[in-house]
């Protein structure tokens, strides 16, 4: 029996595939390669170029492979783009997941772990954020992810499928081997943008606002290493395989770092001065997002291994230094 990883050529998906293979699992990857990279897929995984919105392709996958459980990363994930082109997000994230679930139900595949996000909370009522806190997304990306959670819930009631939603905070870092890492086009995330400066691809980093109600005025985020996220997916899948009920877990380190602190860590890791310039706030950024991940630790037995931000940035830097232009297409 195999594990199907949808979106397994993307950033978090490809790292999860590496951990699954390392754990000796049989892995099938499907990805439409619109934002993912074939070179990011572990050579031991069986690869299908397929889109989750394509019902025939999904049916064929479930007919060809004996799938025990699904890990679903195949979604659009840029907050800014979701505000400019919301229908793209409804189409890819919600229509895509509808088609996928229909095919799973038709083929009796009843376990799914999927990427949700801290963006389901919107502006938090308090930090650290608990899974039971208010969910009021402030962007279309978060709205579609929350709707995916609800879609799983109703599908579960009607068809007995079981799911785990993993609400990630700020995914970052790269595989410790340096084989795979983060590559987005366009890049919008803080750590890879900072590292473009020592890589000679950008003159300075912009700090989006220094007038937030935080100690140094810049936004605070909870940065979590991608390998730790990958491990959480395997634990969540094993939890479902062992009969676990539907559940939602936050995944973060429970420690917040400001934008200025992250830039300082990158200066120390790279030995480069990394000039920074304060710019206006970016629309829709909450001042602080920090997770309580106690539930994932107690229920799933999750133990993040890369909690130190220096180590996280060092793994990212090793990847970006050796792949300044990302993957070859
Ligand atoms: N930032 C800068 N300068 C930049 C880029 C980012 O100051 O050039 C700041 C942002 O304003 C934010 C912080 O750095 O305060 C982190 O920004 P990212 O874009 O790296 O990450 P976000 O916190 O905006 O987004 C992350 C995930 C999203 C998810 C969101 C949940 O990438 O997928 O958390 O709110 F939706």
């Amino acid at each position: 029996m195999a594990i199907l990883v949808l979106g397994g050529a993307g950033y978090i998906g490809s790292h999860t595939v590496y951990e699954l293979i390392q754990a000796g699992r049989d892995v099938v990857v499907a990805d439409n390669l619109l934002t993912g990279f074939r070179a990011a897929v572990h050579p031991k995984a069986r690869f299908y170029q397929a889109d989750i919105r394509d019902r025939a392709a999904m049916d064929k996958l479930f007919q060809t492979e004996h799938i025990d459980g699904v890990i679903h990363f195949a979604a659009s994930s840029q907050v800014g783009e979701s505000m400019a082109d919301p229908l793209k997000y409804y189409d890819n994230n919600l229509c895509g997941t509808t088609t996928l679930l229909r095919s799973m139900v038709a083929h009796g595949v009843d376990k799914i772990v999927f990427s949700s996000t801290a963006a389901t909370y919107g502006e938090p009522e308090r930090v650290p954020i608990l899974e039971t806190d208010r969910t009021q997304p402030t962007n279309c990306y978060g709205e579609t992810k929350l709707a995916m959670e609800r879609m799983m819930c109703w599908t579960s009631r009607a068809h007995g499928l079981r799911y785990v939603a993993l609400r990630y905070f700020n995914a970052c870092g790269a595989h410790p081997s340096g084989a795979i890492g983060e590559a987005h086009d366009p890049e919008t995330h803080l750590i890879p943008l900072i590292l473009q400066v020592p890589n000679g691809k950008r003159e300075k980093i912009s700090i989006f606002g220094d007038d937030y109600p935080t100690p140094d005025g810049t936004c605070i985020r909870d940065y979590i290493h991608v390998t730790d996220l990958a491990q959480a997916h395997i634990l969540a899948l094993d939890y479902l395989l062992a009969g676990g009920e539907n559940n939602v877990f936050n995944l973060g380190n429970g420690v917040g770092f400001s934008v200025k602190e992250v830039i300082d860590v990158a200066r120390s890791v790279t030995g480069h001065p990394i000039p920074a310039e304060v710019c206006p706030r970016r629309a829709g950024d909450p001042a602080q997002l920090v997770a309580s991940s106690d539930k994932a630790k107690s229920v799933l037995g999750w133990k993040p291994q890369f909690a130190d931000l220096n180590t996280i940035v060092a793994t990212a830097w090793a990847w970006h230094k050796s792949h300044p232009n990302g993957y070859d297409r």
Side-chain angles (χ1 to χ4, degrees):
M1 296 294 264
I3 306 304
L4 173 62
V5 182
L6 298 163
Y11 174 42
I12 306 171
S14 62
H15 284 77
T16 302
V17 171
Y18 266 62
E19 296 308 305
L20 283 164
I21 299 274
Q22 173 79 25
R25 312 297 267 265
D26 186 21
V27 183
V28 174
V29 169
D31 197 297
N32 62 11
L33 297 183
L34 289 181
T35 55
F37 300 89
R38 183 66 182 86
V41 179
H42 195 291
K44 287 191 177 157
R46 288 192 293 292
F47 179 74
Y48 293 79
Q49 185 166 351
D51 193 302
I52 59 165
R53 291 166 293 189
D54 180 347
R55 176 67 194 264
M58 290 299 105
D59 286 346
K60 188 156 176 254
L61 252 179
F62 289 115
Q63 281 153 14
T64 312
E65 300 282 353
H66 295 286
I67 302 297
D68 234 358
V70 173
I71 308 185
H72 174 25
F73 298 97
S76 299
S77 63
Q78 289 177 34
V79 172
E81 184 190 52
S82 79
M83 301 301 279
D85 190 0
L87 297 178
K88 174 176 176 180
Y89 281 68
Y90 277 86
D91 179 38
N92 200 20
N93 299 1
L94 289 175
C95 298
T97 302
T98 308
T99 304
L100 166 67
L101 292 181
R102 283 208 168 112
S103 185
M104 284 177 66
V105 168
H107 293 87
V109 179
D110 62 357
K111 291 171 271 305
I112 181 165
V113 175
F114 75 102
S115 320
S116 187
T117 170
T120 53
Y121 294 108
E123 191 66 52
E125 294 169 287
R126 55 170 175 181
V127 291
I129 303 170
L130 292 171
E131 289 84 351
T132 45
D133 286 355
R134 179 187 68 195
T135 46
Q136 203 168 298
T138 51
N139 55 60
C140 180
Y141 165 66
E143 187 75 47
T144 59
K145 288 283 176 164
L146 189 59
M148 279 167 68
E149 292 189 10
R150 304 308 303 157
M151 190 191 291
M152 302 275 172
C153 180
W154 293 111
T155 308
S156 177
R157 283 204 197 182
H159 302 290
L161 164 145
R162 284 175 299 123
Y163 69 93
V164 168
L166 297 175
R167 292 180 180 160
Y168 320 146
F169 282 64
N170 287 61
C172 53
H175 196 272
S177 70
I180 52 171
E182 186 167 9
H184 295 112
D185 185 18
E187 188 51 77
T188 60
H189 294 108
L190 180 64
I191 292 176
L193 286 174
I194 294 174
L195 295 176
Q196 285 179 359
V197 181
N199 241 353
K201 302 184 79 73
R202 167 181 296 273
E203 271 181 24
K204 57 189 174 206
I205 183 72
S206 303
I207 297 175
F208 295 148
D210 69 348
D211 57 351
Y212 284 94
T214 61
D216 68 15
T218 65
C219 287
I220 290 177
R221 293 288 181 276
D222 185 338
Y223 294 89
I224 177 78
H225 195 277
V226 64
T227 300
D228 286 329
L229 290 180
Q231 289 295 347
H233 289 77
I234 300 179
L235 291 167
L237 187 73
D238 287 343
Y239 160 90
L240 289 177
L241 289 168
E245 61 192 17
N246 297 336
N247 229 323
V248 178
F249 299 98
N250 286 340
L251 298 177
N253 274 312
V255 183
F257 289 93
S258 72
V259 173
K260 283 186 177 168
E261 286 171 330
V262 177
I263 297 170
D264 280 340
V265 167
R267 285 176 178 142
S268 127
V269 166
T270 62
H272 190 283
I274 311 183
E277 177 186 42
V278 176
C279 301
R281 290 183 178 198
R282 188 173 68 178
D285 275 341
Q288 272 200 69
L289 289 172
V290 179
S292 163
S293 302
D294 291 350
K295 189 176 163 194
K297 288 174 183 158
S298 65
V299 177
L300 300 177
W302 184 54
K303 291 192 199 83
Q305 304 293 313
F306 296 89
D308 172 49
L309 189 61
N310 280 278
T311 313
I312 293 177
V313 174
T315 63
W317 178 227
W319 157 257
H320 287 290
K321 211 167 35 170
S322 58
H323 298 79
N325 299 313
Y327 295 100
D328 292 333
R329 273 281 177 200

